[in-house]
């Protein structure tokens, strides 16, 4: 029953990300530039990445045994990048850094969901298993670099426009500065990213080398 539910949750997602990969390759082959790429794929990307919130739900209700914290940090940072950065700040949509994280996310998700699908079918090709637990070594830093450079590129615009900020005085006596929020978010990668990366290195040792690893409770 759980396997059937997991399969239902998994099967469409690998294909969705493949659609995005094909759209990106086609765009680049036709236009020969990354400029306009984000605009051309944004609807699809927003849909897929928002859909990924279900991953947290699946962890919460126990369909998959993934750590809620690991999945939560991973998915929320991407939702944040999609909606509160790239969607909201149009002048940065053509930055090269956007392509960096788009490529890293897309390759990762095609590999990850292929891994889940073939595992559930009980016919997992070794290459997919190998790719799931090796690609991240490069793709994680590439994705994080893309995300951080994109937020960095957004800072001047956010400071100039005061977007999403609440200034005093107001009737609720509350203030919020999105510019400083972004600086804090960038700083939060320093403690959080190594935890995700080392988690994946432990998973790699467990799955590829059969090491028994005792994880702390979430
Ligand atoms: C408000 C603002 C917030 C901002 C916060 C800022 C801080 C952010 C800090 C860092 C941000 C990082 C951003 C990175 C972005 C990128 O992605 S860059 C691109 C590279 N990325 C990767 O390579 C990601 C690699 N990481 C992971 O894959 C994840 O850590 C993980 C998926 C979340 C967890 O992996 P893991 O612990 O190995 O668990 P699972 O793969 O989920 O496996 C556990 C078991 O569950 C089965 N399973 C899981 N899901 C499914 C499914 N959908 N269908 C079927 N089966 C599934 C899986 O097979 C495993 O089963 P068993 O083998 O039986 O255990």
């Amino acid at each position: 029953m759980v396997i059937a539910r997991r399969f239902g949750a998994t099967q469409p997602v690998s294909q969705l990300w493949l659609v995005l990969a094909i759209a990106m390759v086609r765009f680049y082959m036709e236009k020969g530039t990354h400029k306009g790429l984000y605009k051309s794929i944004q609807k699809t990307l927003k849909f897929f990445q928002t859909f990924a919130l279900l991953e947290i739900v699946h962890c919460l209700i126990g369909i998959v045994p993934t750590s809620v914290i690991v999945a939560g940090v991973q998915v929320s940072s991407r939702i944040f990048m999609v909606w509160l950065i790239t969607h909201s700040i149009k002048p940065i949509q053509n930055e090269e850094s956007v392509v960096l994280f788009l490529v890293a996310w897309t390759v990762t998700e095609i590999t990850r969901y292929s891994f889940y699908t073939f595992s559930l079918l009980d016919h997992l090709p070794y290459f997919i298993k190998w790719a799931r637990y090796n690609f991240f070594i490069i793709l994680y830093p590439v994705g994080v670099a893309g995300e951080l450079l994109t937020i960095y590129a957004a800072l001047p615009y956010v400071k100039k426009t005061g977007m999403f900020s609440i200034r005093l005085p107001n009737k609720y006596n509350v203030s919020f500065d999105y510019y400083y929020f972004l600086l804090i978010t960038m700083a939060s990668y320093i403690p959080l990213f190594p935890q995700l990366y080392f988690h994946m290195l432990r998973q790699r040792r467990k799955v590829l080398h059969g090491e028994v690893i005792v994880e702390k409770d979430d």
Side-chain angles (χ1 to χ4, degrees):
M1 184 62 177
V2 169
I3 290 185
R5 273 191 264 138
R6 278 197 205 174
F7 196 78
T10 299
Q11 185 49 19
V13 184
S14 46
Q15 286 155 13
L16 292 179
W17 283 95
L18 203 55
V19 168
L20 195 67
I22 293 168
M24 291 202 285
V25 171
R26 276 188 58 183
F27 180 92
Y28 194 79
M29 285 172 74
E30 279 168 19
K31 311 277 182 202
T33 172
H34 70 282
K35 296 207 165 81
L37 172 72
Y38 177 80
K39 200 171 174 209
S40 79
I41 53 106
Q42 60 173 329
K43 279 197 187 128
T44 322
L45 175 74
K46 284 176 207 163
F47 177 71
F48 295 174
Q49 204 48 71
T50 309
F51 193 66
L53 278 171
L54 281 177
E55 285 195 31
I56 302 178
V57 178
H58 293 154
C59 300
L60 283 169
I61 61 178
I63 297 182
V64 297
T66 314
S67 149
V68 179
I69 296 173
V70 174
V73 174
Q74 175 86 40
V75 173
S76 56
S77 76
R78 290 202 190 165
I79 297 271
F80 168 75
M81 283 309 299
V82 167
W83 287 106
L84 296 178
I85 300 289
T86 359
H87 164 77
S88 306
I89 308 173
K90 301 217 166 13
I92 52 130
Q93 290 176 353
N94 284 331
E95 293 286 327
E96 282 89 350
S97 55
V98 172
V99 182
L100 275 189
F101 74 74
L102 284 181
V103 171
W105 291 3
T106 307
V107 177
T108 298
E109 297 308 45
I110 293 170
T111 316
R112 185 160 73 96
Y113 279 94
S114 303
F115 171 85
Y116 296 151
T117 305
F118 286 110
S119 298
L120 290 172
L121 293 172
D122 227 358
H123 281 89
L124 177 63
Y126 184 75
F127 173 70
I128 302 230
K129 186 173 165 179
W130 182 90
R132 161 79 177 119
Y133 290 102
N134 279 291
F135 282 5
F136 81 90
I137 294 171
I138 301 291
L139 290 176
Y140 240 157
V142 169
V144 165
E147 293 178 23
L148 287 174
L149 288 169
T150 305
I151 303 175
Y152 182 74
L155 288 174
Y157 179 86
V158 171
K159 190 164 199 178
K160 196 173 92 192
T161 60
M163 66 184 285
F164 297 157
S165 298
I166 305 168
R167 304 261 178 254
L168 288 171
N170 59 63
K171 69 174 175 178
Y172 301 107
N173 213 17
V174 173
S175 80
F176 174 76
D177 195 317
Y178 191 49
Y179 177 81
Y180 287 106
F181 175 80
L182 291 185
L183 291 180
I184 293 168
T185 301
M186 289 174 82
S188 74
Y189 276 67
I190 298 169
L192 292 175
F193 173 58
Q195 301 206 31
L196 294 182
Y197 198 72
F198 284 113
H199 168 79
M200 285 306 290
L201 286 174
R202 282 194 297 275
Q203 290 294 85
R204 179 177 185 273
R205 291 207 306 273
K206 189 173 90 178
V207 178
L208 293 185
H209 305 295
E211 282 184 32
V212 178
I213 290 160
V214 180
E215 294 268 3
K216 279 186 257 162
D217 283 349
D218 295 323

